[in-house]
Coordinates of all heavy atoms in Angstrom, one line a residue:
Y142 N 36.6 -15.5 -11.8 CA 35.3 -15.2 -12.3 C 35.3 -13.8 -13.0 O 35.7 -12.8 -12.5 CB 34.3 -15.1 -11.1 CG 33.0 -14.5 -11.4 CD1 32.2 -15.0 -12.4 CD2 32.5 -13.3 -10.8 CE1 31.0 -14.5 -12.7 CE2 31.3 -12.8 -11.1 CZ 30.5 -13.4 -12.1 OH 29.3 -12.8 -12.4
V143 N 34.9 -13.9 -14.3 CA 34.8 -12.6 -15.1 C 33.4 -12.6 -15.8 O 33.2 -13.4 -16.7 CB 35.9 -12.6 -16.2 CG1 35.8 -11.3 -17.1 CG2 37.3 -12.7 -15.6
P144 N 32.5 -11.8 -15.2 CA 31.2 -11.8 -15.8 C 31.2 -11.4 -17.3 O 32.0 -10.5 -17.6 CB 30.4 -10.9 -14.9 CG 31.4 -10.1 -14.2 CD 32.6 -10.9 -14.1
M145 N 30.4 -12.0 -18.1 CA 30.3 -11.7 -19.5 C 29.4 -10.5 -19.7 O 28.3 -10.5 -19.3 CB 29.9 -12.9 -20.3 CG 30.7 -14.1 -20.2 SD 32.5 -13.8 -20.6 CE 32.3 -13.5 -22.3
R146 N 29.9 -9.5 -20.5 CA 29.1 -8.3 -20.7 C 28.6 -8.3 -22.2 O 28.1 -7.3 -22.7 CB 29.9 -7.1 -20.5 CG 30.4 -6.9 -19.0 CD 29.2 -6.9 -18.1 NE 29.7 -6.7 -16.7 CZ 28.9 -6.8 -15.7 NH1 27.6 -7.0 -15.8 NH2 29.4 -6.6 -14.4
G147 N 28.8 -9.4 -22.9 CA 28.4 -9.4 -24.3 C 29.5 -10.1 -25.1 O 30.6 -10.4 -24.6
G148 N 29.2 -10.5 -26.3 CA 30.2 -11.2 -27.1 C 30.1 -12.7 -26.8 O 29.3 -13.2 -26.1
A149 N 31.1 -13.4 -27.4 CA 31.1 -14.9 -27.3 C 31.6 -15.3 -25.9 O 32.5 -14.7 -25.4 CB 31.9 -15.4 -28.4
S150 N 31.1 -16.4 -25.5 CA 31.6 -17.0 -24.3 C 32.9 -17.8 -24.6 O 33.1 -18.3 -25.7 CB 30.5 -18.0 -23.7 OG 31.1 -18.8 -22.7
T151 N 33.7 -17.8 -23.6 CA 35.0 -18.6 -23.8 C 34.8 -20.1 -23.5 O 35.6 -20.9 -23.7 CB 36.0 -18.1 -22.8 OG1 35.6 -18.1 -21.5 CG2 36.4 -16.6 -23.2
A152 N 33.6 -20.4 -23.0 CA 33.3 -21.8 -22.7 C 32.8 -22.6 -23.9 O 31.7 -22.2 -24.4 CB 32.3 -21.9 -21.5
A153 N 33.5 -23.5 -24.4 CA 33.1 -24.3 -25.5 C 32.1 -25.4 -25.1 O 32.3 -26.0 -24.0 CB 34.3 -24.9 -26.2
P154 N 31.1 -25.7 -25.9 CA 30.1 -26.7 -25.5 C 30.6 -28.1 -25.8 O 31.6 -28.3 -26.5 CB 28.9 -26.4 -26.4 CG 29.6 -25.9 -27.7 CD 30.8 -25.1 -27.2
L155 N 30.0 -29.0 -25.2 CA 30.3 -30.4 -25.6 C 29.7 -30.7 -27.0 O 28.6 -30.2 -27.3 CB 29.6 -31.3 -24.6 CG 30.2 -31.5 -23.2 CD1 29.3 -32.3 -22.3 CD2 31.6 -32.0 -23.3
P156 N 30.4 -31.4 -27.8 CA 29.8 -31.8 -29.1 C 28.7 -32.7 -28.9 O 28.5 -33.3 -27.8 CB 31.0 -32.4 -29.8 CG 31.9 -32.9 -28.7 CD 31.8 -31.9 -27.6
L157 N 27.9 -32.9 -29.9 CA 26.7 -33.7 -29.8 C 27.0 -35.1 -29.4 O 26.2 -35.8 -28.7 CB 26.0 -33.7 -31.2 CG 25.5 -32.3 -31.7 CD1 24.8 -32.4 -33.0 CD2 24.6 -31.7 -30.7
Q158 N 28.1 -35.6 -29.9 CA 28.5 -37.0 -29.6 C 28.6 -37.2 -28.1 O 28.2 -38.2 -27.5 CB 29.8 -37.4 -30.3 CG 30.2 -38.9 -30.1 CD 31.4 -39.3 -30.9 OE1 31.9 -38.4 -31.7 NE2 31.8 -40.5 -30.8
E159 N 29.3 -36.2 -27.4 CA 29.4 -36.4 -26.0 C 28.1 -36.2 -25.3 O 27.9 -36.9 -24.3 CB 30.4 -35.3 -25.5 CG 31.8 -35.5 -26.1 CD 32.5 -36.7 -25.6 OE1 31.9 -37.4 -24.7 OE2 33.6 -37.1 -26.1
L160 N 27.3 -35.3 -25.8 CA 26.0 -35.2 -25.1 C 25.1 -36.5 -25.3 O 24.4 -36.9 -24.3 CB 25.2 -34.0 -25.7 CG 25.7 -32.6 -25.3 CD1 25.1 -31.5 -26.1 CD2 25.4 -32.4 -23.8
A161 N 25.2 -37.1 -26.4 CA 24.5 -38.3 -26.7 C 25.0 -39.4 -25.7 O 24.3 -40.2 -25.2 CB 24.7 -38.7 -28.1
G162 N 26.4 -39.4 -25.5 CA 26.9 -40.4 -24.6 C 26.5 -40.2 -23.2 O 26.2 -41.1 -22.4
M163 N 26.4 -38.9 -22.8 CA 25.9 -38.6 -21.5 C 24.4 -39.1 -21.3 O 24.1 -39.7 -20.3 CB 25.9 -37.1 -21.2 CG 27.3 -36.5 -20.9 SD 27.1 -34.8 -20.5 CE 28.8 -34.5 -19.9
E164 N 23.6 -38.9 -22.3 CA 22.3 -39.4 -22.2 C 22.2 -40.9 -22.2 O 21.4 -41.5 -21.4 CB 21.4 -38.9 -23.4 CG 19.9 -39.2 -23.2 CD 19.1 -38.7 -24.4 OE1 19.5 -38.9 -25.5 OE2 18.1 -38.1 -24.1
D165 N 23.1 -41.6 -23.0 CA 23.1 -43.0 -22.9 C 23.5 -43.5 -21.5 O 23.0 -44.5 -21.0 CB 24.1 -43.6 -24.0 CG 23.6 -43.4 -25.4 OD1 22.4 -43.3 -25.6 OD2 24.4 -43.4 -26.3
R166 N 24.4 -42.8 -20.9 CA 24.8 -43.1 -19.5 C 23.9 -42.6 -18.5 O 24.1 -42.8 -17.3 CB 26.2 -42.6 -19.2 CG 27.3 -43.1 -20.1 CD 28.7 -42.7 -19.6 NE 28.9 -41.3 -19.5 CZ 29.3 -40.5 -20.5 NH1 29.5 -41.0 -21.7 NH2 29.4 -39.2 -20.3
Q167 N 22.8 -41.9 -18.9 CA 21.9 -41.2 -18.0 C 22.6 -40.3 -17.0 O 22.2 -40.2 -15.8 CB 21.0 -42.3 -17.2 CG 20.2 -43.1 -18.1 CD 19.2 -44.0 -17.4 OE1 19.3 -44.2 -16.2 NE2 18.2 -44.5 -18.1
D168 N 23.6 -39.6 -17.6 CA 24.3 -38.6 -16.8 C 23.5 -37.3 -16.9 O 23.9 -36.3 -17.5 CB 25.7 -38.4 -17.4 CG 26.5 -37.4 -16.5 OD1 26.0 -36.9 -15.5 OD2 27.6 -37.0 -16.9
W169 N 22.3 -37.3 -16.2 CA 21.4 -36.1 -16.3 C 22.1 -34.9 -15.7 O 21.9 -33.7 -16.2 CB 20.1 -36.4 -15.6 CG 19.5 -37.7 -16.0 CD1 19.2 -38.8 -15.2 CD2 19.1 -38.1 -17.3 NE1 18.6 -39.8 -15.9 CE2 18.6 -39.4 -17.2 CE3 19.2 -37.5 -18.6 CZ2 18.1 -40.1 -18.3 CZ3 18.7 -38.2 -19.7 CH2 18.2 -39.5 -19.6
R170 N 22.9 -35.1 -14.7 CA 23.5 -33.9 -14.0 C 24.5 -33.3 -15.0 O 24.7 -32.1 -15.1 CB 24.2 -34.4 -12.7 CG 24.9 -33.2 -12.0 CD 25.1 -33.6 -10.5 NE 25.8 -34.9 -10.4 CZ 27.1 -35.0 -10.1 NH1 27.8 -33.9 -10.0 NH2 27.6 -36.2 -10.0
G171 N 25.2 -34.1 -15.8 CA 26.2 -33.6 -16.8 C 25.5 -32.8 -17.8 O 25.9 -31.7 -18.2
I172 N 24.4 -33.3 -18.4 CA 23.6 -32.6 -19.4 C 23.1 -31.3 -18.8 O 23.1 -30.2 -19.4 CB 22.5 -33.5 -19.9 CG1 23.0 -34.7 -20.6 CG2 21.6 -32.6 -20.9 CD1 22.0 -35.7 -21.1
A173 N 22.6 -31.4 -17.5 CA 22.1 -30.1 -16.9 C 23.2 -29.1 -16.8 O 22.9 -27.9 -17.0 CB 21.5 -30.5 -15.5
S174 N 24.4 -29.6 -16.5 CA 25.5 -28.6 -16.4 C 25.8 -27.9 -17.7 O 26.1 -26.7 -17.7 CB 26.8 -29.3 -15.9 OG 26.6 -29.9 -14.6
A175 N 25.7 -28.7 -18.8 CA 25.9 -28.1 -20.1 C 24.8 -27.0 -20.4 O 25.1 -25.9 -20.9 CB 25.8 -29.2 -21.2
Y176 N 23.6 -27.3 -20.0 CA 22.5 -26.3 -20.2 C 22.8 -25.1 -19.3 O 22.6 -23.9 -19.7 CB 21.2 -26.9 -19.9 CG 20.5 -27.6 -21.1 CD1 20.4 -29.0 -21.1 CD2 20.1 -26.9 -22.2 CE1 19.8 -29.6 -22.2 CE2 19.5 -27.5 -23.3 CZ 19.4 -28.9 -23.3 OH 18.8 -29.5 -24.3
L177 N 23.2 -25.3 -18.1 CA 23.5 -24.2 -17.2 C 24.6 -23.3 -17.7 O 24.5 -22.1 -17.7 CB 23.9 -24.7 -15.8 CG 22.7 -25.1 -14.9 CD1 23.2 -25.8 -13.7 CD2 21.8 -23.9 -14.6
L178 N 25.7 -23.9 -18.3 CA 26.7 -23.1 -18.9 C 26.3 -22.4 -20.1 O 26.8 -21.3 -20.4 CB 27.9 -24.1 -19.3 CG 28.7 -24.7 -18.1 CD1 29.7 -25.7 -18.6 CD2 29.3 -23.6 -17.3
S179 N 25.3 -22.9 -20.8 CA 24.7 -22.1 -22.0 C 23.7 -21.1 -21.6 O 23.2 -20.4 -22.4 CB 24.1 -23.1 -22.9 OG 22.9 -23.6 -22.5
G180 N 23.3 -21.1 -20.3 CA 22.3 -20.1 -19.8 C 20.9 -20.5 -19.9 O 20.0 -19.7 -19.6
D181 N 20.7 -21.8 -20.1 CA 19.3 -22.3 -20.1 C 19.0 -23.1 -18.9 O 19.1 -24.3 -18.8 CB 19.1 -23.2 -21.4 CG 17.6 -23.5 -21.6 OD1 16.8 -23.3 -20.7 OD2 17.3 -24.0 -22.7
A182 N 18.6 -22.4 -17.8 CA 18.4 -23.0 -16.5 C 17.2 -23.8 -16.5 O 17.1 -24.8 -15.7 CB 18.4 -21.9 -15.4
R183 N 16.2 -23.5 -17.2 CA 14.9 -24.2 -17.2 C 15.1 -25.6 -17.8 O 14.6 -26.6 -17.2 CB 13.8 -23.5 -18.0 CG 13.4 -22.2 -17.3 CD 12.2 -21.5 -18.1 NE 11.9 -20.2 -17.5 CZ 11.1 -20.1 -16.4 NH1 10.6 -21.1 -15.9 NH2 10.9 -18.9 -16.0
Q184 N 15.9 -25.8 -18.8 CA 16.2 -27.1 -19.4 C 17.0 -27.9 -18.4 O 16.8 -29.1 -18.2 CB 16.9 -27.0 -20.7 CG 16.0 -26.6 -21.9 CD 15.1 -27.7 -22.3 OE1 14.6 -28.5 -21.5 NE2 14.9 -27.8 -23.6
A185 N 17.9 -27.2 -17.7 CA 18.7 -27.8 -16.7 C 17.9 -28.4 -15.6 O 18.1 -29.6 -15.2 CB 19.7 -26.8 -16.1
L186 N 16.9 -27.7 -15.2 CA 16.0 -28.2 -14.1 C 15.2 -29.5 -14.6 O 15.0 -30.4 -13.9 CB 14.9 -27.1 -13.8 CG 15.4 -26.1 -12.8 CD1 14.4 -25.0 -12.6 CD2 15.7 -26.7 -11.4
S187 N 14.9 -29.5 -15.9 CA 14.2 -30.7 -16.4 C 15.0 -31.9 -16.3 O 14.6 -33.0 -15.9 CB 13.8 -30.4 -17.9 OG 12.9 -29.3 -18.0
Y188 N 16.3 -31.8 -16.7 CA 17.2 -32.9 -16.6 C 17.6 -33.3 -15.2 O 17.7 -34.5 -14.8 CB 18.5 -32.7 -17.4 CG 18.2 -32.8 -18.9 CD1 18.0 -31.7 -19.7 CD2 18.2 -34.1 -19.5 CE1 17.7 -31.9 -21.0 CE2 17.9 -34.3 -20.8 CZ 17.6 -33.2 -21.6 OH 17.4 -33.3 -22.9
L189 N 17.7 -32.3 -14.3 CA 18.0 -32.6 -12.9 C 16.9 -33.3 -12.3 O 17.0 -34.1 -11.3 CB 18.3 -31.3 -12.1 CG 19.7 -30.7 -12.5 CD1 19.8 -29.3 -11.9 CD2 20.8 -31.6 -12.0
G190 N 15.7 -33.1 -12.8 CA 14.5 -33.8 -12.3 C 14.6 -35.3 -12.5 O 13.9 -36.1 -11.8
N191 N 15.4 -35.7 -13.5 CA 15.5 -37.1 -13.8 C 16.6 -37.8 -13.0 O 16.7 -39.0 -12.9 CB 15.9 -37.3 -15.3 CG 14.7 -36.9 -16.2 OD1 13.6 -37.0 -15.9 ND2 15.1 -36.4 -17.4
A192 N 17.5 -37.0 -12.4 CA 18.6 -37.5 -11.7 C 18.2 -38.0 -10.3 O 17.4 -37.4 -9.6 CB 19.7 -36.4 -11.6
P193 N 18.8 -39.1 -9.8 CA 18.6 -39.5 -8.4 C 19.0 -38.5 -7.4 O 20.0 -37.8 -7.6 CB 19.4 -40.8 -8.3 CG 19.8 -41.2 -9.7 CD 19.8 -40.0 -10.5
A194 N 18.2 -38.3 -6.4 CA 18.5 -37.3 -5.4 C 19.9 -37.5 -4.8 O 20.3 -38.6 -4.4 CB 17.4 -37.3 -4.3
S195 N 20.6 -36.4 -4.6 CA 21.9 -36.5 -3.9 C 22.3 -35.0 -3.6 O 21.8 -34.1 -4.2 CB 23.0 -37.1 -4.8 OG 23.4 -36.2 -5.8

Side-chain angles (χ1 to χ4, degrees):
Y142 169 56
V143 179
M145 301 302 296
R146 300 298 181 187
S150 169
T151 56
L155 286 174
L157 299 179
Q158 183 176 359
E159 296 295 352
L160 286 169
M163 282 185 172
E164 187 179 45
D165 289 338
R166 297 190 302 273
Q167 296 189 346
D168 182 5
W169 311 121
R170 183 158 53 97
I172 297 176
S174 297
Y176 274 111
L177 283 170
L178 290 173
S179 75
D181 192 345
R183 293 185 184 275
Q184 286 283 38
L186 280 173
S187 297
Y188 282 98
L189 288 169
N191 295 330
S195 73

